């Protein structure tokens, strides 16, 4: 691949990560199928759709063609390719079936024809590059022009018939739906330092996130702890959060995951939810929400409470769009049975939106205290890791210094088994045998005198 070809392939414009996921699901393609077609792994395709990375070179152009968003370079031509043919020199030849219009009169005999200005509709085909063959140029010119991409749909109101739109899907992805207005993000203000940008994000999103986390967990203390943890994590990864297109969504996902962790049930302070509110309507809705499994609870709050569209809800909950649709249908059915006045999706959408937009009453620490707490926590963990590493290095060095340099086998003494003496060599005397031997050697023989035979 030449340098000019690589540069042109790298200049291909790709859709946004969320749009890539939506286009793939609209084509009823799975991540495995896209990975096999592109010659990459499934994790690479997932990173392309989450925005962590982007394809380059020829893969970028092939990925754009696969999603149907590839537009070739060069000025757009509005001429009907069936009425003209491209030549290697780029000259335009009129078709044989073309007839002059009725309003145009042929020039009189003997008079030179007046030159006509170029038609605004028929634009001259651009000359192909020198390295393109004539047949390839003709085939490229014979292709029909790509239809312009449709304009983005305006923000919609709540769907009056979501039960028909969100049908459970087994193998085919649902049709793309109009984009719903998402939660307002933090406007980018140039010239801010990282500390000022973090403080602005904290002041903008922290109170609302505490209230949303309380609706998910039913525990006020845990909701404040989850939001503080999320902003601690965001300050530790601030270079990543600062360039994220939706920093509020980044922090929200971290806070939701921390609040819905099942390990909090082992803590005595968070074992049971707080007392429900005194109002009957709020108490019934919050009780019904807490009875749902955590993934279903999170899906219905994001879609009907915050107003995210279905692909964004699926991306934030790390599920496919059909799975998010099925979770939403199940959550609506359960909430409709628990609270009959919320059986209609419109009524549930209005009630959850009102709950989410309520003015929060939680008291949070200052943004500077959160930043300093995150830095102090990072220093503490860093020192702990360094200390444990130093202890392991010291123990390893001491063991290496005191360990023997060669192996010395141990000769175990033989033992009598079932009366069978030890094989080979004299047996080792027991303590009582040693005592008897010493006594016999020390005392004289008390027996009768022996007769010693003499030779005659």
């Amino acid at each position: 691949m030449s340098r000019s070809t690589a540069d042109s392939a790298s200049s291909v414009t790709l859709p946004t990560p969320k749009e890539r996921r939506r286009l793939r699901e609209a084509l009823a393609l799975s991540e495995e199928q896209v990975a096999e077609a592109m010659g990459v792994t499934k994790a690479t395709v997932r990173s392309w759709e989450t925005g962590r990375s982007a394809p380059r070179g020829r893969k970028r152009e092939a990925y754009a063609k696969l999603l149907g968003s590839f537009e070739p370079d060069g000025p757009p031509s509005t001429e009907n390719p069936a009425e003209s043919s491209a030549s290697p020199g780029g000259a335009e030849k009129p078709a044989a079936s073309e007839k002059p219009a009725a309003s145009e009169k042929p020039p009189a005999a003997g008079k030179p024809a007046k030159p006509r200005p170029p038609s605004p509709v028929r634009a001259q085909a651009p000359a192909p590059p020198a390295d393109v063959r004539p047949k390839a140029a003709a085939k490229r010119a014979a292709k029909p022009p790509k239809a312009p991409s449709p304009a983005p749909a305006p923000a919609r109101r709540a769907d009056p018939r979501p039960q028909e739109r969100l049908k459970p899907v087994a193998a085919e992805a649902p049709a793309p739906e109009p984009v719903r207005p998402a939660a307002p993000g933090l406007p980018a203000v140039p010239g801010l330092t990282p500390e000022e940008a973090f403080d602005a994000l904290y002041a903008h999103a922290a109170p609302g996130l505490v209230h949303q986390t309380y609706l998910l967990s039913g525990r006020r203390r845990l909701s404040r702890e989850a939001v503080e943890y999320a902003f601690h994590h965001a300050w530790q990864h601030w270079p990543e959060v600062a360039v994220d297109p939706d920093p509020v969504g980044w922090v929200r996902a971290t806070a939701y995951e921390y609040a819905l962790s099942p390990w909090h049930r082992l803590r005595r302070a968070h074992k049971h939810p707080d007392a429900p509110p005194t109002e009957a309507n709020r108490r019934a809705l919050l009780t019904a929400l807490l009875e749902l499994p955590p993934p279903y609870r999170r899906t219905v709050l994001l879609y009907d409470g915050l107003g995210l569209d279905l692909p964004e809800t699926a991306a934030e909950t790390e599920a496919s769009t059909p799975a998010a649709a099925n979770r939403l249908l199940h959550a609506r059915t359960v909430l409709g049975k628990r609270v009959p006045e919320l059986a209609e999706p419109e009524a549930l959408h209005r009630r959850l939106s009102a709950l989410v937009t309520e003015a929060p009453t939680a008291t949070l620490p200052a943004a500077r205290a959160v930043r300093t707490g995150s830095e102090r926590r990072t220093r503490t963990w860093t020192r702990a890791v360094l200390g444990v590493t130093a202890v392991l290095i010291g123990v390893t060095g001491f063991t290496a210094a005191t360990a023997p340099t060669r192996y010395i086998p141990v000769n175990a003494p033989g033992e009598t088994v079932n009366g069978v003496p030890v094989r080979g060599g004299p047996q080792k005397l027991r303590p009582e045998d040693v005592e008897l031997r010493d006594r016999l050697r020390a005392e004289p023989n008390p027996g009768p005198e022996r007769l010693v035979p003499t030779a005659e």
Side-chain angles (χ1 to χ4, degrees):
M1 182 175 60
S2 62
R3 184 181 183 88
S4 60
T5 306
D7 295 341
S8 61
S10 301
S11 63
V12 175
T13 303
L14 291 175
T16 60
K18 294 181 180 179
E19 185 67 13
R20 300 171 197 170
R21 180 191 180 105
R22 188 192 67 79
L23 290 174
R24 175 181 61 80
E25 292 178 347
L27 295 173
L29 295 176
S30 63
E31 293 180 352
E32 292 83 357
Q33 294 173 341
V34 176
E36 183 178 358
M38 296 297 300
V40 296
T41 61
K42 181 181 176 181
T44 303
V45 176
R46 187 180 295 111
S47 64
W48 291 351
E49 293 183 356
T50 54
R52 291 193 295 267
S53 64
R56 297 180 180 179
R58 290 186 180 272
K59 290 188 182 296
R60 187 181 185 92
E61 182 177 348
Y63 187 55
K65 289 181 179 180
L66 180 64
L67 298 179
S69 63
F70 176 73
E71 295 183 1
D73 298 336
S77 175
T78 57
E79 180 185 3
N80 187 1
E83 298 180 0
S84 63
S85 59
S87 62
E92 180 183 2
K93 297 180 180 180
S97 60
E98 182 179 358
K99 297 181 180 180
S103 59
E104 297 180 359
K105 296 181 181 180
K111 294 184 179 180
K114 296 182 179 180
R116 291 190 303 172
S119 173
V121 177
R122 297 183 179 179
Q124 186 177 1
D131 55 347
V132 178
R133 298 179 180 177
K135 291 184 179 181
K139 290 181 180 180
R140 185 178 300 177
K143 292 183 179 181
K146 184 178 179 62
S149 58
R156 66 169 178 86
R157 293 178 295 179
D159 193 354
R161 295 184 300 174
Q163 296 291 344
E164 299 180 2
R165 178 173 57 82
L166 298 174
K167 293 182 179 179
V169 181
E172 185 178 2
E177 59 175 4
V179 179
R180 298 179 65 178
L186 185 66
V189 180
L192 290 180
T193 62
E195 291 78 9
E196 294 173 349
F198 176 84
D199 295 352
L201 177 63
Y202 182 81
H204 172 77
L209 286 179
V210 172
H211 186 60
Q212 297 168 24
T213 311
Y214 166 69
L215 296 179
L216 280 179
S217 61
R219 299 164 176 82
R220 294 180 177 84
R221 182 177 176 183
L222 178 60
S223 62
R224 292 192 294 269
E225 181 180 336
V227 173
E228 290 184 18
Y229 170 82
F231 277 97
H232 285 171
H233 200 62
W235 182 242
Q236 293 173 7
H237 300 79
W238 185 248
E240 176 185 349
V241 180
V243 299
D244 194 276
D246 185 15
V248 178
W250 196 99
V251 180
R252 179 178 61 234
T254 307
Y256 284 8
E257 291 176 1
Y258 183 88
L260 296 178
S261 175
W263 296 105
H264 295 305
R265 299 177 183 176
L266 303 178
R267 302 171 60 183
R268 188 174 182 180
H270 305 316
K271 190 173 184 180
H272 302 286
D274 297 345
T278 56
E279 301 179 12
N281 295 334
R282 292 170 55 88
R283 182 171 64 253
L285 179 56
L286 290 179
T287 304
L289 274 176
L290 293 179
E291 291 178 358
L292 292 172
Y296 296 79
R297 199 185 315 162
R298 184 177 179 181
T299 301
V300 73
L301 181 64
L302 289 174
Y303 187 85
D304 284 329
L306 296 179
L308 271 66
D309 60 357
L310 203 57
E312 291 180 349
T313 303
E316 186 160 332
T317 56
E318 297 183 356
S320 62
T321 303
N326 292 333
R327 289 177 182 177
L328 182 60
L329 282 175
H330 177 76
R332 285 177 171 177
T333 303
V334 173
L335 293 177
K337 291 180 180 179
R338 298 290 189 275
V339 187
E341 59 268 20
L342 300 181
E344 293 296 329
E346 280 298 319
L348 178 63
H349 175 66
R350 287 194 300 269
R351 182 71 66 82
L352 283 178
S353 299
L355 278 179
V356 169
T357 55
E358 285 181 354
T361 58
T363 303
L364 295 174
R368 182 173 181 178
V370 174
R371 284 191 286 104
T372 55
S374 175
E375 295 170 357
R376 183 168 56 252
R377 182 178 180 180
T378 303
R379 287 195 298 268
T380 302
W381 279 105
T382 304
R383 291 171 181 173
V385 170
L386 292 178
V388 172
T389 305
V391 170
L392 290 177
I393 293 175
V395 171
T396 305
F398 176 78
T399 304
T402 57
T405 58
R406 61 186 181 88
Y407 176 70
I408 302 176
V410 178
N411 296 325
E415 295 182 0
T416 302
V417 179
N418 296 331
V420 179
V422 179
R423 183 179 180 181
Q427 299 183 13
K428 185 178 180 179
L429 297 178
R430 294 177 295 178
E432 53 269 19
D433 297 337
V434 173
E435 182 182 358
L436 177 60
R437 184 192 62 183
D438 295 341
R439 190 176 60 191
L440 292 175
R441 290 179 177 177
E443 296 178 359
N445 187 5
E449 297 180 359
R450 297 180 179 180
L451 298 176
V452 179
T454 59
E456 290 182 356

